[in-house]
Amino acid sequence: MSGTLRVLPLGGLGEIGKNMTVLEYEGRLVVVDMGLMFPTPDQLGIDLVLPDFTYLRERAADIDAVFLTHGHEDHVGALPFVLREIGEENTPDIYGGALTVAMVRSKLDEHRLRDVPLYEVAPGEVVEAGPFSVEPVKMAHSIPDSFAYAVTCELGTTLVTGDYKFDQTPVDGEPADVARLAELGREGLLLLCGDSTNVDRPGIALSESSVGPHLEEAFARCDGRIIVTCFASNIHRVQQVVDAAQALGRKVSLIGRSMRKNTNIGQRLGHIHIPEGMLVSAKEVEDFPDHKLVVISTGSQGEPLSALRRMAHGDHPNVSLHDGDTVIFSATPIPGNERAVNETIDRIYQLGADVITPRDAPIHATGHGQAEELKLMINLTNPQYVLPVHGDHKRIRMHAELAESLGVEPRNIFRGENGLPLEITELTARFAEPEQAGMIFVDGMEVGDVSDVALRDRRMLSADGIFIVVATISEQDGRSVAPPEIIFRGVPFADDADDVLVEEIREAVEQSLERSAEEEIREIDLLQSHLHDDVAKFVYDRMRRRPMVLPVVVEV
């Protein structure tokens, strides 16, 4: 064997989200997951964040297959954007569990990608993809049909775990296939690419099935209407909310497009069972007795356009929050979303409703294994090499230290980053030269690299506003021939100072133009640059703020 296995993470290292891993052997590629991230508060105007998939675009003809571990957005959300970029003629076969495929098919339909080759695959079913044999291994997570993938080539087997926990009593009764993981360990696992998300939490994660009784307890203490918010893709949680509502004689209403869509898919595949006559339509919510209703809503992360966020701001077309309502957050904030969630909670209190979060009661169970479960994964699979994935730099480091504590040789543990390929041969493993990696922003209908300058400008506008200065000068001598026009938006200062400040800025503009005329500066670009600097300095000295200054010079 003289080949080299390249494992190239394009997303998911040094961050939580946009997971994407490329495995390459003999010039052929398979990709595990194509996820996205939601924007951080400082990425103003950005709708979605994708991995930089330039490498896949350039190697499109070499991709044999894409394997999806499960249906969460941070693992499948980038798929339609990647498929559109690599072109129909290069579309690879795409594999996943039944629920994953159904959710992806619905997503691709929304993007008008209807002829994509999607295939359902079951645990233990081996798929041949170029030089690779790929086997899904059943895992437990917060969504059904979650898999790890054992990707085998001549050099050995790489296990990409996806998101997992060792839940012994999952809602669907299908725990992780510990026996198969142990078999892979006995056969000799070459490389473990393991989820690092909860490595910083000691112990073992709560079982998902433990949430149901606690939800029922919380419901029993509520006299009025109950609004439960969770991830729309958390099919098991939706089922437990339905069961708790049924036990207390309440009906259920599903609010939010993705909540209704995923629940319908879950019902069709047998993952959710809602008794006949139990559902109440969104239009009937306000007319239904409060003490007889549970609303299940999207918006657990404070997303701007989600149903709960709109309820909190009083602009949802079907649900108005009021005194006596109780909003239950059956989810914890994804890192980076805390501010948006807290703002939503505060608005809910302002409207008179009560709020219950996982801090108040055990009404949420994470879908990611904690430190003891990550240890179990390493002990079961006994890998020769370990590459921690799916975590920020802190978690990747902690996962590496955990692997070392279990006896993995430090030289065989690789703390990687996006774009840094791990190359494994029969004798060695080492990092190779980095490939292009990073972020691609989705901004409205545009998909591309929104420059740092654009984001910086947006931050500046949001913080201090904008001054537009229109100066009219003589073509002959460059001196001002009309009073400068000053337009400002979003600039905070006292109303009674408006006229005084504007007049002072006009004087500063006139002085700047006079200096430029004396220095015989005639180039418009240079004039505007000088004008920008002079006005910006004046405004900062006067207001101690740095609004955007946009000078416009017109010659007559």
Side-chain angles (χ1 to χ4, degrees):
M1 292 179 291
S2 58
T4 299
L5 171 67
R6 274 171 54 99
V7 180
L8 172 63
L10 290 178
L13 274 73
E15 60 198 0
I16 304 290
K18 67 181 181 68
N19 301 292
M20 182 186 289
T21 305
V22 182
L23 292 93
E24 177 177 352
Y25 191 72
E26 295 181 344
R28 306 301 299 176
L29 315 179
V30 297
V31 185
V32 179
D33 288 332
M34 290 185 173
L36 54 73
M37 278 173 59
F38 293 101
T40 57
D42 64 331
Q43 292 169 335
L44 299 168
I46 301 302
D47 298 314
L48 301 170
V49 182
L50 314 178
D52 186 337
F53 49 85
T54 301
Y55 187 80
L56 295 184
R57 188 189 298 116
E58 293 173 350
R59 300 287 306 276
D62 300 329
I63 304 171
D64 284 311
V66 175
F67 295 89
L68 305 174
T69 58
H70 62 282
H72 283 155
E73 288 291 294
D74 59 333
H75 291 258
V76 304
L79 187 61
F81 301 99
V82 176
L83 293 181
R84 204 156 50 211
E85 287 290 321
I86 66 176
E88 187 177 342
E89 68 281 4
N90 293 315
T91 301
D93 292 340
I94 299 167
Y95 297 88
L99 179 63
T100 308
V101 166
M103 294 173 76
V104 166
R105 183 173 286 117
S106 175
K107 178 181 293 293
L108 295 178
D109 284 346
E110 292 176 3
H111 286 260
R112 296 185 174 85
L113 295 168
R114 296 188 172 87
D115 296 321
V116 176
L118 287 169
Y119 300 99
E120 293 180 15
V121 64
E125 179 183 342
V126 177
V127 176
E128 301 297 331
F132 296 100
S133 296
V134 184
E135 177 193 347
V137 180
K138 178 71 181 73
M139 303 300 289
H141 185 40
S142 56
I143 185 173
D145 290 340
S146 294
F147 299 153
Y149 284 103
V151 184
T152 303
C153 65
E154 283 183 330
L155 284 174
T157 298
T158 298
L159 183 70
V160 183
T161 66
D163 295 347
Y164 72 91
K165 62 193 282 190
F166 288 111
D167 190 340
Q168 302 305 305
T169 55
V171 174
D172 61 4
E174 296 183 19
D177 190 347
V178 176
R180 182 59 184 136
L181 294 173
E183 282 178 13
L184 290 170
R186 285 194 296 272
E187 292 164 5
L189 188 69
L190 179 66
L191 172 66
L192 174 68
C193 299
D195 177 20
S196 308
T197 306
N198 272 347
V199 67
D200 58 332
R201 296 191 190 182
I204 296 173
L206 282 174
S207 170
E208 177 63 31
S209 61
S210 70
V211 175
H214 293 296
L215 283 171
E216 190 173 331
E217 288 175 16
F219 287 8
R221 294 194 296 269
C222 299
D223 297 323
R225 186 171 54 180
I226 300 168
I227 295 92
V228 180
T229 182
C230 63
F231 288 106
S233 57
N234 196 337
I235 303 295
H236 294 324
R237 190 67 49 80
V238 173
Q239 180 67 65
Q240 294 190 97
V241 173
V242 169
D243 292 345
Q246 184 183 19
L248 295 170
R250 289 180 181 250
K251 302 281 189 180
V252 168
S253 182
L254 303 171
I255 302 295
R257 187 178 63 87
S258 58
M259 182 65 72
R260 291 192 299 272
K261 182 180 74 172
N262 288 344
T263 301
N264 287 337
I265 292 171
Q267 283 183 286
R268 192 172 71 244
L269 295 176
H271 294 297
I272 296 182
H273 304 280
I274 301 178
E276 191 72 30
M278 192 173 180
L279 286 178
V280 173
S281 73
K283 293 180 180 178
E284 298 176 273
V285 165
E286 289 300 321
D287 298 325
F288 207 84
D290 285 359
H291 67 287
K292 286 289 187 181
L293 186 64
V294 174
V295 171
I296 309 178
S297 168
T298 56
S300 63
Q301 301 301 305
E303 305 95 312
L305 300 179
S306 66
L308 184 65
R309 179 80 169 218
R310 295 176 67 189
M311 293 178 207
H313 286 80
D315 64 355
H316 193 277
N318 301 117
V319 184
S320 299
L321 295 178
H322 53 67
D323 282 347
D325 287 347
T326 301
V327 179
I328 296 177
F329 280 77
S330 191
T332 52
I334 294 171
N337 290 353
E338 295 89 351
R339 178 179 171 185
V341 172
N342 290 336
E343 286 176 355
T344 301
I345 289 173
D346 203 52
R347 288 285 301 176
I348 293 168
Y349 275 119
Q350 185 180 0
L351 294 173
D354 290 322
V355 176
I356 300 174
T357 72
R359 289 184 178 181
D360 308 312
I363 51 173
H364 174 66
T366 178
H368 299 268
Q370 297 177 191
E372 293 303 311
E373 291 160 278
L374 270 61
K375 290 179 184 177
L376 178 58
M377 175 63 78
I378 294 172
N379 282 331
L380 283 171
T381 58
N382 191 29
Q384 181 177 350
Y385 302 111
V386 173
L387 176 68
V389 295
H390 301 180
D392 55 22
H393 293 295
K394 168 192 168 185
R395 289 171 173 84
I396 285 173
R397 177 174 176 177
M398 291 180 72
H399 198 169
E401 291 169 349
L402 184 147
E404 186 177 346
S405 74
L406 295 174
V408 181
E409 289 287 338
R411 67 175 181 273
N412 291 345
I413 303 168
F414 294 87
R415 285 165 47 189
E417 58 188 53
N418 293 335
L420 189 61
L422 176 62
E423 293 191 346
I424 301 175
T425 66
E426 192 175 3
L427 300 176
T428 63
R430 63 179 182 83
F431 285 127
E433 288 298 311
E435 302 287 350
Q436 182 171 329
M439 302 180 194
I440 293 178
F441 296 116
V442 179
D443 186 356
M445 297 300 291
E446 297 298 319
V447 180
D449 182 16
V450 177
S451 69
D452 289 339
V453 173
L455 290 176
R456 188 173 68 241
D457 287 348
R458 291 176 184 183
R459 284 192 287 270
M460 188 183 297
L461 285 169
S462 72
D464 292 322
I466 183 171
F467 272 106
I468 301 173
V469 179
V470 182
T472 307
I473 63 172
S474 166
E475 196 176 59
Q476 281 74 37
D477 60 11
R479 284 182 163 77
S480 178
V481 297
E485 187 175 353
I486 311 296
I487 304 166
F488 53 88
R489 293 289 184 273
V491 180
F493 50 83
D495 290 344
D496 57 358
D498 288 9
D499 295 338
V500 175
L501 182 63
V502 168
E503 195 55 46
E504 289 176 349
I505 293 174
R506 283 200 181 100
E507 291 176 11
V509 172
E510 296 275 14
Q511 291 169 9
S512 176
L513 293 173
E514 188 68 28
R515 282 194 298 273
S516 295
E518 289 173 0
E519 295 171 16
E520 297 186 354
I521 296 172
R522 295 290 184 269
E523 296 84 356
I524 293 295
D525 288 347
L526 195 54
L527 272 172
Q528 291 182 160
S529 176
H530 281 219
L531 190 55
H532 170 277
D533 294 346
D534 291 341
V535 172
K537 182 179 185 304
F538 173 82
V539 170
Y540 180 76
D541 291 342
R542 182 76 163 71
M543 300 176 60
R544 287 293 183 259
R545 291 186 178 275
R546 300 189 189 278
M548 180 179 289
V549 176
L550 187 62
V552 179
V553 176
V554 180
E555 284 186 327
V556 293

